[in-house]
Amino acid sequence: MSGSQGARTGELERRYQRLLWAYPSAYRRDRGAELVGTYLDLASEGRRRPSLADAADLVGGGLRERLRAAGTAGLLSGVRLAAVLAFPTAAALAAGWSVLESHPPAPEFQLRTFGPFASLGVVAWAAWLVAAVTHALAPARHARSLIGLAVLLTALVLPAAALTGAPRPPLSVLVPQLALGLLALALPDRLPRWVRLAPAAVAALAAALAVRWLAPEGGYVSYHGAMESLVAVGGALLIVALVLALALAGRRDARGAWALLVLLTPAGLLSVRALAEQFIGQNPYWAALAGTAVAVTLLGPALLLFALAARRGRPIPGRAGGCCPTCGAAR
């Protein structure tokens, strides 16, 4: 090996070793050198930095090891279960908003539109629907890539509207969609066929309902006029998660409980306006809505951290050896 090659390899090795800090110290001592050696053997010649995929794999593996060390490996499978519920919810919302977008205000209302659509949001909603159909027909990795694209387009609606002056959906619609989308990125690679079909099927049902409720004949419904539908969707999401958690708890499986805790934040964000009205009164001002959103965003992770601390190191009663040591799923 030449001097320059050795320098590049040494630099790459040091960068991999830095990423190992994601792992618990005991794991680094026992298997750190083996792990770094494996990545170095697989790295392409001349590479100086770990690839993005390698970095994500190492950090993700470190997180899993830390959760296992804390006795909370079931959280990971709970996050995956929450993703299975979050994606159909996001697809259903996108379908409903797409119907609303296809009925822009008439010219006599003197409101801006985005061509034949109500706002820029139609671009993001279309991406979500394509991801739902892809999830039904293609491998999970393709659907996950399109979910990532849909999340990106949803996030770009706000700056794009600011730059172009085009109308956009309100933040009370965009923010919970982003939260659901980020969670949906944790979808498992292998799912039963009927689960893969669920997002597209739920989106089709939501579109049919939206035609009835969000596109009345002889007029139009704005996003602000459809806020009650967000509360209904958030409530339905929590009810489904609660029923699933109770069903799994009957089998001494904690995945449902973890999924319910993870879903509290996106479900709460779907109900921000309703919560603000409950505590402040009708037509809450912007600062009240923002404060409520921040409180909801902080409360969910706080409850999750409290559950992690309470659960730390405690085995599930009656399930000794009954969970997968890798993902925490019940065997």
Side-chain angles (χ1 to χ4, degrees):
M1 182 183 296
S2 68
S4 60
Q5 283 182 312
R8 284 195 296 268
T9 302
E11 183 179 359
L12 181 60
E13 181 178 3
R14 286 192 295 273
R15 293 182 187 277
Y16 276 124
Q17 287 172 341
R18 290 194 197 104
L19 290 172
L20 284 182
W21 284 102
Y23 287 80
S25 58
Y27 190 96
R28 293 198 302 270
R29 286 194 304 269
D30 294 341
R31 299 192 58 191
E34 175 189 350
L35 195 59
V36 170
T38 300
Y39 279 100
L40 287 174
D41 290 341
L42 296 174
S44 59
E45 186 176 354
R47 178 176 287 278
R48 290 179 176 271
R49 296 174 178 273
S51 66
L52 184 60
D54 283 353
D57 190 46
L58 271 169
V59 173
L63 174 60
R64 288 191 293 270
E65 286 299 328
R66 287 186 180 276
L67 289 173
R68 273 199 290 273
T72 55
L75 173 60
L76 295 175
S77 51
V79 169
R80 297 187 187 103
L81 182 58
V84 171
L85 298 178
F87 186 28
T89 305
L93 287 169
W97 300 137
S98 295
V99 172
L100 185 149
E101 288 282 351
S102 65
H103 292 75
E108 55 265 26
F109 286 98
Q110 297 184 346
L111 295 174
R112 292 179 299 164
T113 62
F114 180 62
F117 302 103
S119 78
L120 271 172
V122 68
V123 177
W125 311 143
W128 281 106
L129 296 180
V130 170
V133 173
T134 302
H135 189 251
L137 302 176
R141 64 180 182 275
H142 298 305
R144 197 178 296 112
S145 298
L146 289 173
I147 291 171
L149 176 61
V151 169
L152 177 62
L153 291 175
T154 304
L156 289 176
V157 166
L158 183 63
L163 288 173
T164 64
R168 60 166 176 83
L171 289 176
S172 53
V173 169
L174 295 173
V175 172
Q177 191 77 16
L178 283 172
L180 290 167
L182 291 172
L183 185 53
L185 289 172
L187 277 172
D189 288 332
R190 296 182 182 88
L191 288 170
R193 180 68 173 175
W194 69 270
V195 177
R196 290 173 56 193
L197 290 171
V202 173
L205 176 61
L209 293 174
V211 168
R212 171 66 179 84
W213 297 107
L214 298 185
E217 186 176 352
Y220 87 102
V221 175
S222 69
Y223 278 101
H224 292 287
M227 287 296 105
E228 290 183 1
S229 61
L230 283 177
V231 179
V233 171
L237 176 61
L238 285 182
I239 290 172
V240 171
L242 178 60
V243 170
L244 191 56
L246 292 174
L248 290 173
R251 294 159 44 189
R252 297 186 180 276
D253 187 338
R255 286 178 298 164
W258 289 120
L260 179 60
L261 283 171
V262 171
L263 287 168
L264 285 177
T265 296
L269 290 172
L270 286 166
S271 307
V272 162
R273 179 171 287 275
L275 291 172
E277 290 178 350
Q278 181 70 28
F279 292 104
I280 297 171
Q282 293 294 322
N283 299 320
Y285 46 91
W286 186 89
L289 291 173
T292 304
V294 170
V296 167
T297 302
L298 294 177
L299 179 61
L303 291 174
L304 185 59
L305 289 174
F306 177 80
L308 284 169
R311 184 71 184 81
R312 182 179 177 87
R314 293 175 52 195
I316 300 174
R319 294 297 296 190
C323 291
C324 170
T326 300
C327 68
R331 287 172 174 168

